[in-house]
Amino acid sequence: MRRILLALALLLPLAAMASDNDTDKVNGDVHVTAGQHVGKASSVNGDVDVADHAVVEKASTVNGEVKLGQQAQAGEVDTVNGDIEMAAGARVQGKVEAVNGAIHLARGAEVDGHLSNVNGTITLEDAHAAAGIETVAGDITIGANSRVEGGILVDKPNNGWFHSGSTRKPVIVIGPHAVVQGTLEFRREVVLKVSDSAQIGPVKGTTVEKFSGATP
């Protein structure tokens, strides 16, 4: 997660070097209209909204949400304080990262790179994460028919920075007919609930609680 903080330190000087095809703001929301193709869409204090079928090289903010509309595409997505929402069929070719914020992938959404946050829920609804999922204090729901390659990692809090959420056990749910390939590794106490119709890889650091039906 330290690479996220390093990227934050570089964000402001890079904003001054934006190309003509970039859309950058310090204060205020950034909107990429439907079908538009741009380079970087970024803000410091504001949301970044990429509309349906639009394409951006990178969507990022510090204090705000990032939203990708239906069938929208991005090279990578990140925020520090805010949620990340990917609508049906949206795709990110690289990483998706948040620090304090939830990440939600709607039906058919895809992330080809690493998917991670520190604090906040991560939810896949019949979606695909191709290079692993990581959190520290957030709950993870791999919804029905979702697919994850690269496993799941729940890391331990680092040097007390995230102590406020460190005593609560994250809840990890693997839904019906979901597939998680790779190791499910837990470096802190968690609750792991797995559907009896799901397929998962090796589990390290906790025991599996099986459930039947749509939800635990």
Side-chain angles (χ1 to χ4, degrees), residues 2-82:
R2 282 178 288 185
R3 66 183 183 276
I4 302 177
L5 299 179
L6 177 60
L8 171 60
L10 296 173
L11 180 60
L12 285 172
L14 285 175
M17 301 169 61
S19 72
D20 291 341
N21 199 35
D22 293 343
T23 304
D24 299 274
K25 290 185 179 180
V26 175
N27 296 305
D29 298 339
V30 172
H31 299 280
V32 180
T33 59
Q36 187 179 9
H37 288 225
V38 302
K40 183 173 66 174
S42 67
S43 180
V44 177
N45 297 302
D47 298 336
V48 176
D49 185 4
V50 181
D52 298 351
H53 301 282
V55 178
V56 298
E57 293 178 10
K58 182 176 182 179
S60 66
T61 185
V62 178
N63 298 304
E65 297 181 343
V66 179
K67 296 181 180 180
L68 299 185
Q70 294 186 23
Q71 304 294 325
Q73 297 185 47
E76 60 184 65
V77 172
D78 65 74
T79 182
V80 177
N81 298 304

Side-chain angles (χ1 to χ4, degrees), residues 117-122 134-141 152-157 162 165-173 185-193 205-207 209:
N117 70 1
V118 177
N119 300 300
T121 59
I122 296 176
E134 180 179 348
T135 191
V136 173
D139 295 342
I140 299 174
T141 299
I152 293 172
L153 171 63
V154 178
D155 209 350
K156 59 186 178 181
F162 309 107
S166 63
T167 59
R168 178 188 172 278
K169 295 180 183 179
V171 177
I172 316 302
V173 176
E185 181 176 357
F186 305 103
R187 299 176 182 172
R188 57 174 298 177
E189 287 189 277
V190 302
V191 177
L192 175 60
K193 301 183 180 185
T206 195
T207 56
E209 298 179 17

Side-chain angles (χ1 to χ4, degrees), residues 50 65-69 77 83-87 90 102-106:
V50 181
E65 297 181 343
V66 179
K67 296 181 180 180
L68 299 185
V77 172
D83 298 338
I84 296 173
E85 292 276 350
M86 295 178 58
I103 301 174
H104 178 260
L105 277 62

